[in-house]
C-alpha cells in the first residue's frame, strides 16, 4: 500500500472520532449545539500529541501528514446527521421522515456506534501502517496505546470508550481476517500483526 493510502486509512476514521466527540461533548446531542472548531481548540494539546504519535509510529512523511489537512476533518465544519449515519455504518437505519435522523435519542445512538466502529478502524489502520513501516512492535505498540488513549478521550469524554475495549473489538473484528490461512497478507505482515497483538495485549492487560 502507498503512503497516501495508509495515511487516508488513519485520518479517515480519525475524522469520525473528532466529529463524534464534538457531538458527544455537547451532552444534548442536538446538532445545532455542535462546534468542531471549539472542540478542537479546547483540546489542541491533545490533538498535537495525537498527530505527533501518528507520525512517529506510522513514519509518515510531511506529504503523508498533509492528508489530514486535505481531508479537512481537523478544521471547523458542520456535522450533519448524514455524517453520523455514515460513521455508524447505517446501523440505525434511515428513518422516515428523514428529519427524525436529527432527534437527540437517535443522534446519541449513532454516536455510540460510530465511536466503537471508528476507533476500531483507527486501530486497524495504525497497526497496518506501523507494520508497513517496519516500526518495532514494542516501541510502536506503546505509541499506538498513547494515540488510542487520546482518541478514546476525544470520541467520548464520558470514558465509555477505552483502549482496552477498542483493542478487544479490533482483535475480534479485524485480526482474524489478516491471520487466516487463506489471507493474501504476506507472511512477514502476518508476523508483524501477531507481534503487535501480543505487545498490545500485554500493555493493555486485555485478556
Amino acid at each position: 500500500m502507498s503512503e497516501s493510502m495508509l495515511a487516508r486509512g488513519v485520518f479517515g476514521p480519525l475524522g469520525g472520532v473528532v466529529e463524534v466527540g464534538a457531538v458527544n461533548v455537547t451532552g444534548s446531542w442536538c446538532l445545532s449545539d455542535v462546534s468542531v472548531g471549539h472542540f478542537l481548540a479546547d483540546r489542541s494539546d491533545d490533538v498535537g500529541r495525537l498527530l505527533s504519535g501518528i507520525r512517529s509510529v506510522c513514519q509518515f512523511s510531511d506529504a503523508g501528514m498533509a492528508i489530514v489537512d486535505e481531508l479537512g476533518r481537523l478544521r471547523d465544519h458542520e456535522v450533519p446527521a448524514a455524517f453520523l449515519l455514515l460513521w455508524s455504518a447505517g446501523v440505525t437505519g434511515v428513518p422516515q421522515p428523514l428529519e427524525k435522523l436529527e432527534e437527540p435519542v437517535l443522534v446519541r445512538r449513532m454516536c455510540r456506534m460510530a465511536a466503537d466502529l471508528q476507533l476500531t478502524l483507527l486501530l486497524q489502520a495504525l497497526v497496518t501502517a506501523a507494520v508497513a513501516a517496519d516500526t518495532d512492535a514494542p516501541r510502536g505498540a506503546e505509541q499506538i496505546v498513547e494515540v488510542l488513549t487520546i482518541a478514546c478521550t476525544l470520541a467520548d469524554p464520558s470514558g465509555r470508550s477505552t483502549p482496552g475495549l477498542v483493542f478487544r473489538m479490533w482483535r475480534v473484528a479485524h485480526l482474524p481476517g489478516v491471520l487466516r490461512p487463506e489471507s493474501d497478507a504476506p507472511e512477514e505482515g502476518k508476523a508483524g500483526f501477531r507481534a503487535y497483538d501480543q505487545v498490545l495485549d500485554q500493555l493493555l492487560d486485555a485478556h
Side-chain angles (χ1 to χ4, degrees):
M1 295 177 67
S2 68
E3 182 187 53
S4 175
M5 291 179 64
L6 291 167
R8 289 179 183 278
V10 170
F11 295 131
L14 179 60
V17 165
V18 167
E19 291 183 358
V20 168
V23 177
N24 276 331
V25 79
T26 66
S28 66
W29 293 277
C30 180
L31 295 180
S32 62
D33 294 338
V34 176
S35 172
V36 174
H38 289 159
F39 177 77
L40 290 171
D42 291 344
R43 294 157 181 81
S44 59
D45 289 344
D46 286 340
V47 173
R49 288 192 297 113
L50 182 145
L51 292 176
S52 177
I54 289 173
R55 178 192 281 270
S56 179
V57 71
C58 300
Q59 299 186 38
F60 288 156
S61 66
D62 289 346
M65 293 301 295
I67 289 174
V68 71
D69 293 324
E70 177 186 326
L71 295 176
R73 298 302 185 188
L74 298 186
R75 294 194 296 268
D76 190 28
H77 59 275
E78 292 185 359
V79 182
F83 282 15
L84 298 177
L85 187 67
L86 174 66
W87 297 130
S88 61
V91 168
T92 58
V94 180
Q96 296 298 327
L98 192 58
E99 288 73 20
K100 287 187 176 181
L101 201 60
E102 297 185 2
E103 292 181 355
V105 171
L106 189 52
V107 167
R108 187 179 186 183
R109 286 188 61 210
M110 288 192 291
C111 283
R112 285 182 170 178
M113 174 60 187
D116 290 344
L117 179 57
Q118 299 307 317
L119 286 166
T120 305
L121 289 171
L122 176 62
L123 178 54
Q124 170 68 2
L126 288 169
V127 175
T128 299
V131 170
D134 201 23
T135 303
D136 182 61
R139 177 178 67 86
E142 288 187 357
Q143 293 175 317
I144 286 177
V145 169
E146 181 180 6
V147 169
L148 195 58
T149 299
I150 297 170
C152 285
T153 302
L154 290 175
D156 191 348
S158 73
R160 183 174 179 272
S161 298
T162 65
L165 173 62
V166 174
F167 170 71
R168 292 192 297 273
M169 291 189 293
W170 167 78
R171 187 164 53 181
V172 172
H174 293 279
L175 192 59
V178 175
L179 300 182
R180 70 183 191 276
E182 65 272 23
S183 168
D184 59 2
E187 288 303 316
E188 61 269 26
K190 291 181 179 180
F193 269 80
R194 285 194 176 95
Y196 270 90
D197 172 55
Q198 180 179 352
V199 181
L200 287 168
D201 184 65
Q202 293 170 349
L203 291 174
L204 294 170
D205 195 25
H207 300 287

